[in-house]
Amino acid sequence: MEKNKIDRRNFIKLGSLGATVVITWPLLNSCNGFASENKNTINPDFQADLDFELTAKETDIQLFQGNTTKVWMFEGNVLDGDKTTVQKLGKSYLGPIIRVRKGQKIRVRFKNQLPEESIVHWHGMHVPEEDDGHPKDVIANGETYVYEFEIMNRAGTYWFHPHPHGRTGPQVYNGLAGLFVVTDDEEQRLKLPSGEYDVPVVLQDRQFDNNNQLVYLNRGRMDRMNGFLGNRILINGNPDMKLSLKSGCAYRLRFLNGSNSRFYKLAWEDGTPLVIIGKDGSLLDSPKSKPYVMLGVAERIDVWLDLKNRPQGSQMIMKSLSFSPGMMGMMGGMMGRGRNNLPLGSTYEILKINIDKTGSNDFELPQRLAEFNKLDPATAVNRNNPRTFRFFMRRMQWTINGRTWEMTGVTEEETVKLNTTEVWEIVNRGGRMMGNDDMMGERGWMRNRGEMDRDRGMMGGGMQMPHPFHIHHLQFNILERDVSGVDSRIWNSVKDGFIDEGWQDTVLLMPGMSVKLIMRFEDFKGLFLYHCHNLEHEDMGMMRNFKIE
């Protein structure tokens, strides 16, 4: 069935501190002129171990006293298979937690009941092109998209969210996200905390108006350029920011930064080190103790928390500590004075853990976790000539190598060969914010070139902001993090917070930073995405295709 082209505009009404803001967005046609068939039929030869419906819909939820809040949410319903594998996350607007095992075959029937097009991306999962949730595969209201794939990933904490071009930010912000947890035999042998001791912690920032309605992009173009920041933190879709845990027990906390643009410098208030056992798509080879961890947008960490010597009635508080975010923080403060009381890079509370019960369990922290099996740079076909992708702004437009989004466009430098290993260098510097003729544009918010150059590492040579790089379809290893171009104020405030071990799909680049990644293209040919996971940057076009052939 060929998708119908849709030429209309979609309006989303969101409150703004007592006033109503109407944001007009172009509702792109399904494939921008490249029609494809909806995958809306069942493959009778695919024997699914788990078959479930995932419905995106509008609803109202009681987050605060008084008016209910209008949200969009995923609802799961198991049709065939173990019903405990799709678990509702409390009374949250967030989607269900889907727990699967490597080697299982799953069928997901995504039903779109939203007033606009959507599609679901399985973030971090190794799946064929037609199951990845590419924007060209969006479906309209009332349509169904069928995913059928085998779980090929290692044990890890993954997630799922919408991926329609130009609308990912508002759809995720309205509530569409959920955890996708994979286990395997290697992880099971470690006997890590499970059941009630395996606890999700989804971090999101949001703003609400006086009627308890979500506020989004209330600063218009500046919020798109900078990335939207809320003024309060929600944990698992809950505004009270609390967890109730037991004294005498060990826990595994699975942290997901599900925010649109905000990233965090996570630390325990009392100075207790964070013990990290997993990052993105894998367990680490051994636990890592850190004073704090930088958690970029879409990144995940698994934290070991030992409460065996914490008395009942005590409390632990997690904070985001102060750091220098570069241009993103500067512009957010300059343009939003008085509107946001939770500036990026400031210190604020994230989570309170009330140890208000007692219990016991026998989980012990293993000193050896998962075999790393890091890719060998000597096997890379371009070891001495990495592909380079520069993230920068050009003439008020976020770009990758000076290019912006094309629905099915792909260049030679974005085309790779199946069954090869490559090194990619991702660079967060370069480019120019605007041409000389544009210096007085945008209502004069940058007055002259001298103002742009006066702060190296934040504004010099272009509008440099932090960018979380994400690639679809695979997990990579970090070979090298080059910080020689990072302003010392930025680097000194974050330098102990990065985890470069394990298998990852998202990496945070501070302004001026570059990273070398090694990755292998295997199993599936097709068109996949790489992009900035600041969702407002992504929606503006800081996203490109790469092709495996």
Side-chain angles (χ1 to χ4, degrees):
M1 178 180 70
E2 185 169 291
K3 292 182 180 178
N4 296 323
K5 295 180 180 179
I6 301 173
D7 184 16
R8 56 191 172 95
R9 287 187 176 269
N10 184 55
F11 296 87
I12 180 168
K13 295 184 179 180
L14 293 170
S16 175
L17 303 178
T20 298
V21 175
V22 181
I23 304 168
T24 305
W25 294 77
L27 183 58
L28 303 178
N29 65 59
S30 298
C31 294
N32 237 12
F34 297 92
S36 65
E37 290 189 354
N38 284 346
K39 191 183 172 191
N40 60 354
T41 57
I42 303 298
N43 178 2
D45 296 325
F46 185 85
Q47 301 299 311
D49 299 299
L50 175 65
D51 187 340
F52 68 97
E53 291 178 338
L54 186 70
T55 302
K57 65 179 188 178
E58 298 179 289
T59 191
D60 293 273
I61 191 167
Q62 194 77 54
L63 291 179
F64 309 97
Q65 288 185 345
N67 294 337
T68 58
T69 303
K70 296 182 183 300
V71 296
W72 293 359
M73 68 181 296
F74 287 125
E75 184 176 75
N77 177 37
V78 175
L79 302 177
D80 190 25
D82 184 354
K83 293 188 181 299
T84 65
T85 58
V86 179
Q87 305 168 348
K88 185 171 175 55
L89 184 55
K91 296 181 180 179
S92 171
Y93 59 76
L94 289 172
I97 303 174
I98 300 168
R99 295 184 181 271
V100 295
R101 192 181 185 105
K102 185 176 181 179
Q104 280 187 314
K105 293 183 176 181
I106 71 168
R107 176 182 294 121
V108 185
R109 309 171 194 233
F110 170 56
K111 302 174 71 173
N112 183 12
Q113 294 182 4
L114 303 174
E116 61 185 54
E117 295 172 326
S118 192
I119 195 70
V120 177
H121 168 54
W122 309 98
H123 186 113
M125 297 301 294
H126 184 61
V127 295
E129 174 187 355
E130 62 269 21
D131 295 307
D132 188 53
H134 193 284
K136 65 181 172 57
D137 296 324
V138 294
I139 59 173
N141 175 276
E143 293 186 327
T144 297
Y145 193 98
V146 179
Y147 299 85
E148 294 172 323
F149 57 89
E150 180 179 344
I151 305 299
M152 303 178 72
N153 287 63
R154 302 169 187 83
T157 302
Y158 306 88
W159 64 303
F160 58 96
H161 59 79
H163 221 299
H165 176 56
R167 294 293 295 167
T168 298
Q171 289 194 10
V172 172
Y173 188 79
N174 277 345
L176 294 173
L179 284 173
F180 194 92
V181 176
V182 177
T183 189
D184 59 17
D185 291 342
E186 183 178 38
E187 180 184 71
Q188 291 294 307
R189 287 193 292 269
L190 295 172
K191 300 187 183 303
L192 297 174
S194 58
E196 67 175 294
Y197 306 105
D198 183 349
V199 181
V201 185
V202 181
L203 308 180
Q204 295 176 313
D205 59 332
R206 296 289 186 266
Q207 286 191 36
F208 299 89
D209 68 12
N210 293 332
N211 295 316
N212 297 338
Q213 302 310 305
L214 285 163
V215 175
Y216 182 64
L217 295 187
N218 51 311
R219 295 186 299 163
R221 185 180 181 89
M222 180 49 59
D223 276 340
R224 296 187 186 97
M225 298 276 291
N226 198 38
F228 184 80
L229 298 174
N231 59 9
R232 63 185 305 160
I233 303 299
L234 275 66
I235 300 295
N236 296 337
N238 192 324
D240 70 6
M241 300 166 52
K242 295 177 184 176
L243 291 178
S244 176
L245 302 182
K246 296 178 181 178
S247 171
C249 298
Y251 287 86
R252 176 182 188 169
L253 306 182
R254 297 182 187 259
F255 283 85
L256 159 66
N257 181 355
S259 304
N260 276 40
S261 297
R262 183 181 295 274
F263 56 102
Y264 304 89
K265 182 178 178 179
L266 299 180
W268 296 116
E269 183 183 51
D270 63 2
T272 298
L274 280 167
V275 179
I276 312 302
I277 62 173
K279 174 69 171 71
D280 285 5
S282 72
L283 294 168
L284 302 181
D285 57 352
S286 61
K288 301 292 185 289
S289 181
K290 308 283 285 186
Y292 59 84
V293 171
M294 301 303 300
L295 193 66
V297 179
E299 289 187 307
R300 292 87 67 205
I301 54 171
D302 287 14
V303 173
W304 180 275
L305 179 61
D306 190 343
L307 299 181
K308 292 182 179 178
N309 294 317
R310 298 267 179 173
Q312 183 181 4
S314 61
Q315 187 180 74
M316 292 187 72
I317 296 176
M318 175 170 281
K319 287 190 170 184
S320 185
L321 302 181
S322 174
F323 65 93
S324 177
M327 188 67 186
M328 186 174 178
M330 176 185 290
M331 294 307 300
M334 184 170 70
M335 301 303 294
R337 290 189 182 98
R339 297 191 183 186
N340 188 349
N341 60 8
L342 202 60
L344 186 69
S346 61
T347 298
Y348 50 88
E349 267 188 23
I350 292 287
L351 170 67
K352 289 182 179 178
I353 294 178
N354 293 325
I355 308 170
D356 52 10
K357 303 174 185 177
T358 59
S360 64
N361 61 37
D362 56 2
F363 299 117
E364 297 290 339
L365 177 63
Q367 293 310 300
R368 297 297 300 173
L369 294 166
E371 290 294 326
F372 191 1
N373 297 323
K374 182 177 181 178
L375 292 171
D376 183 356
T379 65
V381 296
N382 64 340
R383 178 183 181 183
N384 299 318
N385 186 32
R387 294 179 192 258
T388 301
F389 300 92
R390 296 183 179 274
F391 283 49
F392 60 88
M393 175 168 280
R394 172 178 289 173
R395 298 184 67 87
M396 304 304 294
Q397 178 65 55
W398 288 115
T399 74
I400 303 176
N401 283 351
R403 301 186 183 97
T404 57
W405 171 244
E406 300 174 88
M407 186 65 75
T408 57
V410 64
T411 65
E412 183 178 351
E413 70 184 44
E414 296 167 317
T415 303
V416 301
K417 296 293 184 182
L418 186 67
N419 296 322
T420 60
T421 299
E422 289 199 3
V423 176
W424 286 16
E425 184 175 20
I426 314 301
V427 182
N428 183 14
R429 59 178 177 266
R432 177 172 290 184
M433 182 173 170
M434 18 181 138
N436 292 332
D437 294 339
D438 295 324
M439 291 302 155
M440 296 301 294
E442 289 301 300
R443 299 181 181 177
W445 67 287
M446 285 297 179
R447 291 190 295 275
N448 56 60
R449 182 67 186 178
E451 286 192 11
M452 291 178 66
D453 286 337
R454 71 184 178 186
D455 200 341
R456 185 185 68 82
M458 293 186 184
M459 296 173 70
M463 188 175 180
Q464 293 185 22
M465 290 186 179
H467 292 295
F469 169 81
H470 171 53
I471 187 168
H472 288 214
H473 181 64
L474 54 82
Q475 301 282 315
F476 53 72
N477 302 143
I478 298 177
L479 294 177
E480 175 185 317
R481 190 183 293 266
D482 181 358
V483 301
S484 60
V486 182
D487 184 273
S488 60
R489 288 165 295 178
I490 297 174
W491 178 239
N492 289 336
S493 71
V494 301
K495 63 182 180 180
D496 296 323
F498 294 99
I499 300 170
D500 289 346
E501 297 84 9
W503 293 87
Q504 306 189 30
D505 52 63
T506 311
V507 58
L508 175 63
L509 281 78
M510 301 302 289
M513 185 179 289
S514 65
V515 293
K516 286 184 179 177
L517 313 173
I518 187 169
M519 59 195 77
R520 183 162 179 80
F521 308 98
E522 57 188 357
D523 300 315
F524 307 112
K525 298 179 182 179
L527 204 65
F528 300 93
L529 301 172
Y530 68 100
H531 58 88
C532 175
H533 217 289
N534 177 318
L535 295 185
E536 284 70 54
H537 293 178
E538 174 187 325
D539 281 345
M540 285 184 70
M542 202 174 200
M543 177 166 66
R544 294 285 304 172
N545 293 302
F546 72 97
K547 185 179 182 181
I548 304 174
E549 62 178 22

